[in-house]
């Protein structure tokens, strides 16, 4: 009798939406998958900050769904109650004038928090959290990993996937694959300073969210206008990418003061607000790549993530899915 072929094993570094999507698809295709994530929880930049009696989405604010594959996935999230459409009163600030947004794009959010779809996917996957992978190497056709917290990881893997922002992938791949390192280094990822302001009493504004042009800030949104949010009213304010990048090394107090000053100029009075700030070193950026992911079939090293596919949530999910499909096809040769 023929023995069943052993399952090929894949290590994925990063439990953002790209890594989770790649892992889910690989597992469904019958491969054995292990994810390593440096944070305490899944979902990466689709993230939510929780405090006492308040929460705020401080990374991705909403996502769109245009590709049929992603729409199908989104429908499973909606059916599971972890995502929903968001209908904000949306304004635009341009040339010192306010106007209502005329966009009729459908916008979706995680429910009750932006990290809910990630948590939903993570439930069916094997993930080790608090594992910052700081070294990878290949020996005898296998991948070996090492983590900052725990040293050498005992299991070895047939394939390795880096589901990381380009600069973090560059650090890991630099000693392994020159062409991948060069490609990663060509991506100009920009940071983002994010202020979360919470208010004891509701704030009277004529919009729930606003796109702001040519100012220090580029976006503000009332978290409680999104479905499923409870607790104290909180606003998320993003500084614009160019300003953020220019001032990325500023101290938190300095950055916060500039951002609040701009928000107040635009009508959000933060004098009685409690304010927190977060610095995203790698918030956005992408290269134009038709494939949407990379697989080096010789070294069995794959890369996925938003920066390989348009720089947003939908592209990140698709990138992970596409890479999983490519790995599955390559192992059949
Ligand atoms: C401020 C901000 C606003 C945004 N707004 C929007 C928006 O409105 N709409 C939209 O569609 N997109 C938005 N985005 C972009 C969106 O969040 C990303 O496109 C998407 O979440 C990226 O997913 P990813 O899996 O590619 O990467 P990530 O989510 O960054 O996942 C990478 C994961 O790898 C982990 N990791 C990193 N290094 C290591 C290591 N050495 N070892 C182990 N783990 C590691 C990280 O902790 C992280 O969990 C925004 C992003 C930010 C930051």
């Amino acid at each position: 009798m023929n023995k069943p072929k052993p399952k090929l094993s894949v290590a994925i570094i990063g439990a953002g939406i790209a890594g989770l999507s790649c892992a889910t698809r690989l597992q469904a295709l019958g491969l054995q998958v292990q994810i390593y994530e440096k944070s305490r929880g899944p979902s990466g930049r689709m993230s939510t900050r929780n405090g006492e009696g308040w929460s705020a989405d401080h990374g991705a604010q909403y996502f769109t769904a245009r590709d049929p594959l992603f729409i199908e996935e989104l429908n499973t999230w909606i059916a599971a109650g972890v995502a929903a459409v968001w209908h904000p009163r949306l304004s635009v600030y341009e040339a010192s004038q306010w106007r209502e947004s005329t966009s009729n794009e459908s916008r979706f959010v995680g429910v009750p928090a932006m990290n809910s779809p990630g948590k939903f996917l993570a439930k069916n996957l094997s993930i080790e959290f608090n594992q910052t992978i700081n070294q990878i190497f290949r020996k005898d056709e296998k991948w070996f990993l090492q983590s900052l917290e725990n040293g050498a990881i005992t299991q070895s893997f047939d394939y390795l996937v880096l589901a990381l922002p380009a600069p973090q992938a560059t650090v890991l791949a630099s000693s392994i694959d020159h062409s991948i390192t060069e490609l990663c280094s060509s991506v100009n990822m920009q940071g983002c300073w994010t202020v979360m302001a919470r208010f004891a009493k509701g704030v009277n504004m004529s919009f729930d969210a606003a796109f702001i042009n040519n100012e220090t800030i580029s976006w503000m949104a009332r978290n409680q206008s999104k479905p499923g949010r409870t607790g104290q009213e909180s606003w998320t304010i993003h500084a614009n990418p160019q300003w953020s990048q220019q001032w990325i090394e500023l101290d938190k107090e300095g950055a916060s003061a500039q951002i609040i000053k701009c928000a107040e100029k635009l009508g959000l009075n933060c004098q009685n607000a409690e304010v927190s700030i977060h610095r995203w070193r790698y918030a956005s950026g992408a290269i134009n790549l038709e494939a949407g992911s990379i697989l080096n079939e010789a070294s069995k090293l794959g890369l996925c993530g938003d920066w390989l596919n348009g720089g947003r949530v939908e592209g990140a999910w698709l990138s992970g899915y596409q890479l999983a499909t490519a790995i599955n096809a390559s192992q059949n040769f």
Side-chain angles (χ1 to χ4, degrees):
M1 238 172 53
N2 283 344
K3 266 200 194 160
K5 255 172 76 182
K7 281 185 180 183
L8 285 185
S9 58
V10 185
I12 297 181
I13 308 178
I17 200 68
L20 295 168
S21 152
C22 188
T24 304
R25 175 86 178 133
L26 284 170
Q27 202 165 273
L29 291 166
L31 284 85
Q32 189 254 318
V33 185
Q34 178 62 49
I35 305 186
Y36 297 95
E37 165 59 50
K38 72 175 181 179
S39 312
R40 281 180 292 144
S43 207
R45 280 171 279 159
M46 282 180 82
S47 57
T48 306
R49 173 75 62 87
N50 291 304
E52 222 168 281
W54 67 277
S55 68
D57 295 335
H58 68 315
Q61 295 296 290
Y62 63 84
F63 52 90
T64 49
R66 294 164 191 157
D67 184 281
L69 265 179
F70 186 61
I71 292 172
E72 199 181 315
E73 175 71 6
L74 171 61
N75 284 335
T76 69
W77 298 353
I78 292 173
V82 296
V85 69
W86 176 41
H87 295 293
R89 293 171 300 155
L90 193 57
S91 287
V92 177
Y93 184 78
E94 207 163 28
S96 308
Q97 303 267 329
W98 283 106
R99 63 172 168 83
E100 258 180 54
S101 165
T102 50
S103 152
N104 53 12
E105 178 108 70
S106 294
R107 297 179 167 80
F108 299 89
V109 293
V111 174
M114 194 50 93
N115 58 15
S116 302
K119 285 183 173 173
F120 171 71
L121 294 178
K123 272 199 296 202
N124 297 317
L125 298 168
S126 173
I127 308 180
E128 288 188 23
F129 294 106
N130 302 308
Q131 292 267 40
T132 309
I133 304 303
N134 61 358
Q135 213 187 321
I136 55 174
F137 63 94
R138 190 154 168 81
K139 195 176 152 214
D140 303 334
E141 304 276 287
K142 291 279 189 185
W143 281 104
F144 294 82
L145 317 180
Q146 185 175 296
S147 97
L148 188 67
E149 295 81 0
N150 298 304
I153 283 167
T154 44
Q155 195 185 347
S156 62
F157 299 90
D158 299 304
Y159 285 82
L160 175 63
V161 168
L162 307 181
L164 306 168
Q168 288 165 328
T170 313
V171 173
L172 281 182
S174 60
S175 58
I176 306 281
D177 188 322
H178 203 65
S179 61
I180 285 183
T181 315
E182 248 174 50
L183 181 77
C184 294
S185 315
S186 71
V187 186
N188 176 22
M189 287 200 76
Q190 293 187 301
C192 180
W193 279 108
T194 298
V195 160
M196 292 148 275
R198 44 201 195 275
F199 300 84
K201 275 205 225 139
V203 180
N204 187 13
M205 297 287 278
S206 60
F207 54 79
D208 296 317
F211 292 108
I212 294 144
N213 294 294
N214 303 318
E215 294 287 342
T216 302
I217 67 178
S218 58
W219 169 260
M220 55 173 137
R222 190 164 63 91
N223 285 288
Q224 280 65 25
S225 65
K226 297 179 179 180
R229 272 64 174 173
T230 54
Q232 224 179 331
E233 175 154 330
S234 67
W235 283 71
T236 298
I237 308 165
H238 287 322
N240 86 46
Q242 295 74 27
W243 187 91
S244 294
Q245 196 54 43
Q246 186 183 350
W247 298 105
I248 202 73
E249 298 303 341
L250 204 61
D251 58 284
K252 288 190 169 180
E253 290 72 25
S256 185
Q258 298 277 349
I259 293 166
I260 295 287
K261 190 172 156 203
C262 182
E264 293 197 329
K265 177 182 136 186
L266 296 169
L268 183 68
N269 183 343
C270 296
Q271 269 173 11
N272 297 320
E274 283 186 73
V275 169
S276 322
I277 186 160
H278 182 83
R279 175 183 13 220
W280 293 99
R281 282 198 181 273
Y282 311 117
S284 57
I287 52 166
N288 221 345
L289 194 78
E290 216 175 297
S293 63
I294 296 172
L295 176 61
N296 182 328
E297 292 189 9
S299 66
K300 297 187 165 42
L301 176 66
L303 273 85
C304 61
D306 63 339
W307 62 276
L308 289 156
N309 201 23
R312 309 201 79 72
V313 168
E314 177 175 15
W317 184 90
L318 284 165
S319 173
Y321 186 97
Q322 283 162 7
L323 179 59
T325 308
I327 290 174
N328 187 52
S330 85
Q331 56 135 355
N332 292 329
F333 281 102

